């Protein structure tokens, strides 16, 4: 198949920042790309050959969009899977497959999958609703504390709560959920794996999430992780086992906990480009976005090694500001060597909304980490 400067059309379900960064690669290769997203202000609306507005959970909308393209991928997991099943049955290549997406869309199913495939993960219990969970507390088959997670449609931690006592139950919505044992972790790690249609596999280095000591928010994604080589090897091996078990096509980002005893437990996966791989645009030989496109089109995968140390800082809306966004001090951070901001193109800021990210690259990790802190303390996402 000739994808380059041809009539071939790639479809992407979802037009957020991940779609926008995928479009930078399809533009580079001159591959026609169609995007479907519910928002008329989607970050991907300008870079696409054609942008369609529509509900990603609606069967007809997704099916009709699929009929316009020769290959379909996603940048968000919450899409209508029945439409993807039908399109796939009619011969359209869909990567990742609806089968993989079905296992991942529901956190309960995803956790069962790890247990069935002997992949280390925190013990969990599944509940059809909140009442069901409360009954388990009453008959003492579930105990405080635990981590509550809604089974579907949670994102960026908004469907996750630490429940320490009965008081914390009041705020929980009445939805299908899981209760997970709390992991006393010392690090959160991630590994991104690219797997092509023909089965070629390449692994990105292990990255580390550094948390704010009080706010419990990820502040920096650091590549390579500053961990023992043995722990990095173990994390990579486990991520590869997860990749084999899913048999996915495209990227698979595997999020893991490194426990106090240096065990590795899988937290969750995403079958697409991931926030933990944004550093790769500037720091790697081949970015995660380029490798996702290469993998789904069955092209040779690019080198996943890093050229330099890379750190990513998320740009989220400052608390207390809502409305037309302003990136205060952006010029100041751009004056520092090796600092590149990515602005996603969302006009309105809200507290904690992901508005962009900044990558810091440097030959030296200690220096990169210092600059990352300076960036974090300088730029502010506020409103007019
Ligand atoms: P999301 O899908 O919203 O990103 P995650 O399952 O990744 O949700 O959870 C969000 C955060 O909550 C994790 O990054 C981690 O800091 C914390 N967390 C999740 N599960 C556990 C657990 N079992 N023990 C301790 N902390 C957890």
């Amino acid at each position: 198949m000739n994808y380059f400067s041809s009539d071939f059309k790639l479809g992407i379900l979802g037009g957020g920042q991940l779609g926008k960064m995928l479009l930078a690669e399809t533009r580079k290769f001159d591959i026609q790309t169609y995007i479907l997203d519910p928002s008329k202000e989607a970050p991907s609306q300008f870079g696409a050959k054609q942008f369609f507005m529509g509900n990603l959970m609606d069967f007809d909308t997704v099916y009709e969009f699929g009929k316009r393209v020769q290959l379909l991928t996603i940048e968000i997991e919450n899409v209508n899977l029945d439409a993807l099943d039908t399109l796939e049955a009619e011969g359209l290549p869909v990567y990742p497959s609806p089968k993989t997406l079905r296992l991942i869309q529901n956190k309960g199913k995803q956790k069962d999958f790890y247990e069935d495939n002997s992949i280390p993960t925190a013990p969990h219990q599944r509940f059809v609703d909140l009442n069901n969970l409360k009954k388990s507390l009453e008959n003492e088959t579930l105990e405080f504390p635990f981590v509550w997670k809604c089974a579907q449609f949670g994102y960026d931690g908004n469907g996750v709560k630490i429940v320490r006592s009965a008081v914390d139950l009041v705020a929980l919505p009445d939805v299908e959920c899981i209760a997970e044992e709390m992991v006393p972790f010392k690090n959160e790690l991630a590994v991104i794996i690219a797997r092509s249609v023909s089965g070629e596999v390449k692994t990105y280095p292990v990255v580390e999430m550094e948390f704010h000591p009080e706010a419990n928010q990820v502040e920096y994604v650091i590549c390579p992780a500053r961990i023992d080589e043995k722990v990095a090897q173990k994390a990579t091996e486990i991520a590869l086992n997860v990749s084999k078990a899913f048999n996915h096509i495209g990227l698979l980002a595997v999020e893991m906990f490194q426990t106090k005893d240096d065990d590795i437990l899988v937290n969750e996966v995403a079958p697409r480009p991931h926030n933990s791989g944004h550093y790769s645009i500037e720091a790697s030989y081949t970015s995660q976005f380029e490798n996702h496109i290469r993998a789904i089109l069955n092209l040779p995968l690019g080198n996943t090694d890093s050229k330099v140390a890379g750190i990513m800082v998320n740009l989220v809306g400052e608390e207390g500001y809502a409305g037309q966004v302003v990136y205060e001090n952006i010029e100041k951070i751009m004056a520092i060597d090796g600092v590149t901001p990515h602005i996603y193109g969302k006009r309105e800021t809200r507290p904690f909304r992901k508005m962009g990210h900044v990558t810091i690259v440097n030959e030296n990790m200690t220096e990169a980490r210092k600059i990352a802190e300076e960036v974090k303390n300088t730029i502010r996402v506020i409103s007019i």
Side-chain angles (χ1 to χ4, degrees), residues 107 122 147 149 154-160 162 180-183 185 188 211 216 255 257 267-268:
K107 285 198 179 185
V147 182
K149 298 183 179 182
Y155 66 94
D156 292 344
N158 78 347
V160 177
I162 293 176
E180 218 177 89
E181 210 169 84
M182 253 175 89
V183 178
F185 61 83
E188 284 196 58
F211 279 73
N216 199 34
E255 293 182 37
F257 299 121
N267 175 27
E268 62 170 359

Side-chain angles (χ1 to χ4, degrees), residues 3-201:
Y3 304 114
F4 308 94
S5 302
S6 76
D7 290 334
F8 172 85
K9 290 176 196 72
L10 169 68
I12 304 178
L13 295 173
Q17 60 264 23
L18 301 176
K20 185 181 175 193
M21 290 183 268
L22 282 168
L23 283 173
E25 305 303 331
T26 57
R27 286 252 161 212
K28 182 167 82 188
F29 290 144
D30 198 35
I31 294 169
Q32 289 191 52
T33 309
Y34 285 15
I35 296 261
L36 177 68
D37 191 272
S39 167
K40 70 173 192 303
E41 290 182 359
S44 296
Q45 62 183 313
F46 298 117
K49 173 83 176 172
Q50 276 200 54
F51 177 78
F52 296 83
M53 227 177 90
N55 183 351
L56 295 166
M57 293 304 292
D58 177 63
F59 182 98
D60 291 339
T61 308
V62 172
Y63 179 77
E64 278 156 28
F65 178 77
K67 287 309 236 185
R68 297 174 190 274
V69 298
Q70 277 83 53
L71 194 145
L72 198 52
T73 188
I74 53 121
E75 61 100 76
I76 183 168
E77 289 95 309
N78 291 324
V79 296
N80 189 299
L81 296 183
D82 293 334
L84 295 191
D85 279 337
T86 308
L87 288 163
E88 197 180 47
E90 288 174 6
L92 184 73
V94 181
Y95 304 129
S97 72
K99 187 171 147 272
T100 301
L101 284 169
R102 206 163 252 122
L103 281 172
I104 290 169
Q105 258 191 3
N106 183 302
K107 285 198 179 185
K109 277 191 196 159
Q110 196 186 133
K111 291 284 289 185
D112 286 351
F113 180 79
Y114 299 141
E115 287 187 357
D116 294 347
N117 286 278
S118 309
I119 288 159
T121 190
H124 74 288
Q125 293 183 48
R126 289 178 71 173
F127 301 102
V128 286
D129 56 24
L130 193 59
N131 226 3
N132 207 254
L133 179 145
K134 285 179 181 163
K135 276 196 195 124
S136 288
L137 283 165
E138 275 161 28
N139 63 32
E140 295 178 359
T141 51
L142 177 67
E143 285 174 8
F144 298 115
F146 57 86
V147 182
W148 171 93
K149 298 183 179 182
C150 71
Q152 290 205 64
F153 309 120
Y155 66 94
D156 292 344
N158 78 347
V160 177
K161 293 256 154 46
I162 293 176
V163 179
R164 295 181 197 279
S165 68
V167 182
D168 297 330
L169 294 173
V170 180
L172 297 182
D174 183 18
V175 291
E176 185 191 343
C177 59
I178 64 169
E180 218 177 89
E181 210 169 84
M182 253 175 89
V183 178
F185 61 83
K186 63 178 178 195
N187 253 323
E188 284 196 58
L189 307 174
V191 172
I192 294 177
I193 292 174
R195 186 170 176 280
S196 75
V197 178
S198 60
E200 186 189 3
V201 171

